[in-house]
Amino acid sequence: MNLNKEKLPIIFEALKRNNVDAWMIIGRETIMNSEPILPVLGDMSFIIATTLIFTKDKCLAIVSPLDVDGYQLIDGIDEVYEYPTTMEETIVKVLNELQPKKIALNINHADAAADGLTLGMYQSLEEDVFPHLVCKPEIVSSMAIVSEVRGKKTPSQIEKIRICAQKADEYLRRVPEICHEGTTSIEIFNFLHEVAYQDGFGMSWAESQCPSVSCDPDVPQGHSGITDTPLKKGCTINIDYGVSKDGYCSDLQRMYYVLKDDEDDAPEDVKKAFYLVRDAINAARLFMKPGVTGFEVDQVARHMIVDEGFDSWNAALGHQVGHVTHDGGTILANRRPRYNRPELIDTPLEVGNVFTIEPGVEIPQGRIGIEEDVVILENGTEFLQPAQQELILIRLS
């Protein structure tokens, strides 16, 4: 195992900014009971019950006798404590030495990325640790810390995400190569798997659902997996797709129009909707910078689209992406009940955040949805891959 030392300054600064004295990450058999923050911290997983404690300037590990020698070799862990009896007894010992006033735990009802502490482990803390502390600390959610640690991508991480975004865009632009009379969504699905796997990439989310290929407006959409649907002349195709490699991933949507036999271009109403979505994405991107909030960004794109007579889409404008497709933390969204939390939409965006921007509208020919990946820089943003500027036209032969 290793600890990503690039993340340590971000962790220490996050604890200082949030006035947290100790951030505790506790788990066991995390291959079964996932702790989402561990892959972000490095090539890490817990087998026997283990605790990592980050203070404002160091990292401590509380581990079993079987693991103590290995953890002492991990660069970036400053102190390793072996628990001779139970982990909880040693946690009490260490916390009584540190005497933290505020402890952050990975518990949160709004963000899965900050909710990795299992109920059983939390109950062990309540029963066997907290009652035995000399100073009774305040227990808080680690969401603000996790959001910074996950969300602030380092330059090397951004480059890995960029590679995934550029390759996904490249594969998506090749889709017309395989389209002919009788081609179905399953064939596009299989093609996008094959080209990625040949180059050593994986899918960004579950293989049975990545990509989604919507080529008939009468076919239900969503995250239920692919349906075998023939391409339909006079309709749009929307593909939601991303590829992964080396622990990072992308998330894009591209738009196509299947020409009728007597057409050389898409109809004006289809192009108008496409350009509106395209321009709303760019307007939101140009507005984004460190310090603005996800709600403010969402409103830029949403108002542009609603003011042209389209319905407000029932989703966020965008989410963070990188370690996984939905990377947790702050999002770009309006004040609908499932998003209307300050930690989600009213927390300022930061340098190094990588977001999708993905508004959409419905037209008779199908859904128009474009999705681009952007990174926030000191003074603005940049696309991680070439943005789609025109509909990709498909003629079936």
Side-chain angles (χ1 to χ4, degrees):
M1 292 195 300
N2 65 74
L3 184 65
N4 183 352
K5 293 180 67 178
E6 284 185 316
K7 288 292 187 183
L8 291 177
I10 298 174
I11 294 170
F12 299 147
E13 183 59 33
L15 266 69
K16 293 172 185 174
R17 182 179 294 111
N18 291 281
N19 194 30
V20 169
D21 302 299
W23 175 30
M24 295 175 58
I25 302 166
I26 307 166
R28 66 199 186 288
E29 300 293 350
T30 55
I31 194 72
M32 290 191 294
N33 290 308
S34 172
E35 170 44 86
I37 197 61
L38 288 181
V40 179
L41 299 180
D43 177 21
M44 303 198 77
S45 64
F46 297 158
I47 299 177
I48 303 173
T50 301
T51 299
L52 292 180
I53 301 177
F54 290 96
T55 69
K56 294 173 182 177
D57 59 6
K58 61 184 177 180
C59 174
L60 317 176
I62 300 174
V63 302
S64 78
L66 289 175
D67 294 335
V68 65
D69 291 339
Y71 273 82
Q72 286 174 340
L73 297 175
I74 298 176
D75 192 15
I77 296 181
D78 301 288
E79 298 177 26
V80 179
Y81 294 82
E82 173 187 337
Y83 56 84
T85 52
T86 69
M87 180 177 67
E88 289 77 8
E89 287 182 5
T90 305
I91 293 175
V92 170
K93 174 180 177 294
V94 172
L95 291 181
N96 279 335
E97 292 173 358
L98 295 174
Q99 295 194 12
K101 296 179 181 178
K102 185 183 290 187
I103 295 175
L105 299 176
N106 292 349
I107 48 175
N108 193 271
H109 57 274
D111 185 8
D115 198 32
L117 182 63
T118 65
L119 176 61
M121 297 304 288
Y122 181 72
Q123 289 174 332
S124 293
L125 292 175
E126 283 194 314
E127 295 169 7
D128 301 320
V129 173
F130 297 151
H132 304 288
L133 298 181
V134 175
C135 297
K136 304 303 180 185
E138 178 186 2
I139 306 300
V140 299
S141 169
S142 66
M143 180 182 171
I145 296 168
V146 170
S147 184
E148 287 193 45
V149 174
R150 289 187 76 94
K152 285 186 176 180
K153 272 67 174 185
T154 65
S156 64
Q157 292 173 326
I158 291 169
E159 286 311 303
K160 291 179 179 180
I161 301 168
R162 188 190 306 274
I163 290 169
C164 292
Q166 291 177 349
K167 294 304 288 188
D169 178 73
E170 174 188 323
Y171 302 145
L172 285 164
R173 293 177 188 271
R174 290 180 54 190
V175 165
E177 297 175 14
I178 66 159
C179 294
H180 50 78
E181 293 282 357
T183 296
T184 70
S185 54
I186 284 286
E187 291 176 81
I188 294 174
F189 177 91
N190 290 336
F191 169 77
L192 290 172
H193 276 205
E194 289 166 6
V195 291
Y197 296 152
Q198 287 169 3
D199 287 347
F201 289 85
M203 296 298 102
S204 286
W205 55 95
E207 292 183 354
S208 63
Q209 299 180 24
C210 179
S212 70
V213 183
S214 301
C215 57
D216 185 329
D218 297 324
V219 173
Q221 302 176 18
H223 298 100
S224 58
I226 192 73
T227 58
D228 194 8
T229 307
L231 304 191
K232 194 172 182 180
K233 294 177 183 179
C235 290
T236 62
I237 303 173
N238 170 265
I239 302 179
D240 190 350
Y241 176 64
V243 299
S244 63
K245 193 171 188 177
D246 297 331
Y248 298 89
C249 67
S250 58
D251 187 9
L252 303 178
Q253 290 179 51
R254 290 291 176 257
M255 284 305 311
Y256 313 76
Y257 177 76
V258 184
L259 294 164
K260 295 180 181 178
D261 293 338
D262 61 350
E263 290 179 325
D264 293 318
D265 197 1
E268 287 303 315
D269 58 339
V270 175
K271 291 195 292 184
K272 179 182 177 181
F274 173 84
Y275 292 139
L276 177 61
V277 170
R278 179 199 68 181
D279 294 346
I281 289 173
N282 201 45
R285 181 187 71 84
L286 292 174
F287 179 81
M288 291 173 75
K289 61 183 178 181
V292 304
T293 68
F295 172 73
E296 293 170 330
V297 176
D298 176 279
Q299 295 302 286
V300 170
R302 200 171 296 270
H303 283 305
M304 279 186 65
I305 288 172
V306 172
D307 288 351
E308 291 296 321
F310 290 96
D311 291 337
S312 177
W313 63 96
N314 186 26
L317 173 65
H319 55 81
Q320 293 194 55
V321 63
H323 301 290
V324 293
T325 314
H326 292 172
D327 218 10
T330 51
I331 59 175
L332 317 176
N334 63 352
R335 297 203 180 280
R336 297 192 180 202
R338 72 177 185 262
Y339 304 131
N340 194 16
R341 303 180 187 277
E343 64 271 28
L344 292 179
I345 64 173
D346 294 323
T347 299
L349 311 183
E350 297 185 286
V351 173
N353 290 165
V354 178
F355 280 94
T356 67
I357 308 179
E358 47 178 312
V361 301
E362 301 291 339
I363 60 174
Q365 296 88 343
R367 180 177 183 273
I368 299 288
I370 312 169
E371 183 173 13
E372 308 288 2
D373 295 346
V374 303
V375 59
I376 298 181
L377 308 173
E378 291 285 350
N379 298 310
T381 62
E382 70 175 20
F383 291 116
L384 291 182
Q385 73 294 312
Q388 184 174 5
Q389 300 298 327
E390 301 290 340
L391 279 163
I392 299 171
L393 302 177
I394 295 175
R395 186 176 297 281
L396 303 181
S397 58

